Amino acid sequence: MESNVSSERKKIAVFISGGGSNLQALIDASKSGQLTADIVWVVSNMKKAFGLKRAENEHIETFIYKKKNYDSPKTAGNDLLQKLQERNIDYIATAGYLQLLPSVVVKAFRNKIVNIHPALLPKYGGKGMYGQNVHKAVLESGDSESGATVHLVDEIYDNGKILEQAKVAVLDDDTPESLAARVLEQEHKLYPETIEKLIKGKYE
Ligand code: GRF
């Protein structure tokens, strides 16, 4: 029988720390066929992350990854890498994951790890720029637009190559919450679209 490796569905691991609405968007896109990949592993550093429930509802394997459960950062990184390799993971998507991935994992998955950030990077990125901090900073700046960015992940927070952005207008009466909600709506479209393009080699 002729094998056609390129037509195989890719395997994605999604890393989360919280609600996981982007994880849900990826799961939904995978189920609808918009994303030609399967979410096969969901990793969280927070035991109580609601995203873990979303994964369980879809019968996706989950894992709580806490560096403090290991003897050293090196052991922690190597164990995570081994687990990714055992599952034949092709791509990693971080979605509201509030930690840096171990450098041994970043190296092994170079150009195969993406993150979504709720602002127009390179503005409003870096350590501490997460959640409402981002939207507060945008509102305080007086910028007239914000948005979402999908970028490759390297060893520095929010630093890798920008793949795609979606813009939203900042409204006069916006609060951090209302702006976050408008950006999040865009994120749910942009993330699956961009990962699909990455898988199809559009950024090479
Ligand atoms: C999103 O705004 C994402 O851009 C940011 O964290 C938030 C996660 O939301 N990195 P959710 O957990 O996907 O609902």
Side-chain angles (χ1 to χ4, degrees):
M1 204 174 73
E2 210 178 302
S3 83
N4 184 354
V5 174
S6 66
S7 70
E8 274 174 19
R9 284 172 73 87
K10 299 293 183 191
K11 290 183 167 59
I12 301 180
V14 180
F15 281 60
I16 59 163
S17 300
S21 68
N22 279 290
L23 163 66
Q24 190 67 54
L26 295 178
I27 292 171
D28 293 347
S30 166
K31 284 163 79 172
S32 76
Q34 185 206 354
L35 183 58
T36 58
D38 296 310
I39 315 304
V40 299
W41 201 35
V42 172
V43 179
S44 173
N45 63 319
M46 304 292 281
K47 212 166 71 188
K48 293 197 171 143
F50 181 68
L52 289 170
K53 289 261 169 327
R54 297 180 189 269
E56 283 157 20
N57 288 342
E58 306 286 341
H59 310 289
I60 297 170
E61 184 192 7
T62 60
F63 179 59
I64 311 292
Y65 179 62
K66 283 187 186 283
K67 287 176 200 152
K68 67 167 203 251
N69 292 345
Y70 296 86
D71 293 345
S72 68
K74 194 172 173 206
T75 322
N78 287 339
D79 184 54
L80 183 64
L81 179 58
Q82 190 185 334
K83 286 183 160 57
L84 288 159
Q85 289 169 338
E86 281 166 2
R87 287 162 182 79
N88 294 316
I89 300 298
D90 298 296
Y91 292 89
I92 297 173
T94 58
Y97 183 58
L98 298 176
Q99 305 255 297
L100 275 182
L101 288 172
S103 58
V104 69
V105 169
V106 176
K107 260 199 207 99
F109 283 81
R110 184 79 64 199
N111 299 328
K112 300 271 172 70
I113 312 177
V114 282
N115 178 49
I116 186 148
H117 186 78
L120 298 174
L121 290 175
K123 284 172 126 183
Y124 312 110
K127 199 167 169 28
M129 272 294 170
Y130 62 89
Q132 300 296 33
N133 296 350
V134 176
H135 305 293
K136 275 186 200 144
V138 172
L139 292 178
E140 277 162 21
S141 75
D143 281 2
S144 60
E145 59 180 18
S146 188
T149 302
V150 180
H151 64 94
L152 292 175
V153 168
D154 62 16
E155 285 82 354
I156 303 166
Y157 279 111
D158 303 324
N159 183 68
K161 181 182 169 189
I162 292 173
L163 301 181
E164 299 288 342
Q165 295 189 308
K167 291 181 178 172
V168 305
V170 175
L171 307 179
D172 286 345
D173 59 354
D174 257 334
T175 61
E177 291 75 19
S178 65
L179 180 57
R182 201 164 335 103
V183 172
L184 199 58
E185 215 181 300
Q186 293 303 314
E187 292 183 41
H188 296 160
K189 291 184 208 146
L190 190 70
Y191 213 10
E193 274 171 21
T194 307
I195 294 176
E196 181 61 15
K197 286 190 196 164
L198 181 69
I199 289 173
K200 289 288 180 276
K202 299 269 163 64
Y203 303 110
E204 280 159 20

